[in-house]
Amino acid sequence: MKIEDIEDAALDCALFEDYYYNPQLQPAYIDGFKRGTKWRIDSVWHEVSEEPERNRIYLAQLGDSAFDTFYDSENWVKFSRGVNMQRWAYVEDLLPNKQEE
């Protein structure tokens, strides 16, 4: 997703979904929307020092750009150190929640 896509989505929400738009506040709409999207993405990720619950599927970032999914956290401490894990998130937290829409 490009930054322009996020800015367009911010204005679409203000103009077409909320019916509230003030041209002087356009930078605030865009900035608030971008900060909100960053917060939402960052809020689901956990530090490697936090062990995931057993029997839940999670996505782990390995190194700078590789990702993989895992299920069993039985050997978490040994495993998380051995693969250069950066952070992890439950897969269900990364997917849209139909109840929120």
Side-chain angles (χ1 to χ4, degrees):
M1 179 171 283
K2 297 177 184 172
I3 193 70
E4 294 83 14
D5 297 331
I6 295 171
E7 292 173 355
D8 290 345
L11 293 178
D12 283 349
C13 286
L15 287 170
F16 302 113
E17 293 179 22
D18 297 336
Y19 302 107
Y20 178 77
Y21 181 74
N22 179 332
Q24 295 173 335
L25 296 177
Q26 182 172 331
Y29 297 147
I30 293 170
D31 183 55
F33 194 87
K34 287 193 293 191
R35 287 186 297 132
T37 58
K38 181 178 178 355
W39 173 86
R40 173 61 177 102
I41 292 167
D42 291 345
S43 71
V44 299
W45 290 98
H46 299 265
E47 298 290 326
V48 177
S49 60
E50 183 181 347
E51 185 174 337
E53 296 173 11
R54 292 188 56 128
N55 302 322
R56 290 183 70 184
I57 299 171
Y58 60 95
L59 179 73
Q61 181 179 354
L62 310 175
D64 291 334
S65 59
F67 290 87
D68 204 348
T69 54
F70 300 94
Y71 179 73
D72 185 14
S73 62
E74 186 174 334
N75 297 312
W76 172 256
V77 174
K78 180 173 64 174
F79 171 76
S80 63
R81 292 182 183 149
V83 295
N84 189 25
M85 189 180 298
Q86 302 297 309
R87 59 186 183 163
W88 63 269
Y90 294 114
V91 170
E92 64 194 47
D93 291 342
L94 296 168
L95 300 174
N97 184 344
K98 294 294 181 191
Q99 294 175 347
E100 291 178 1
E101 293 178 356

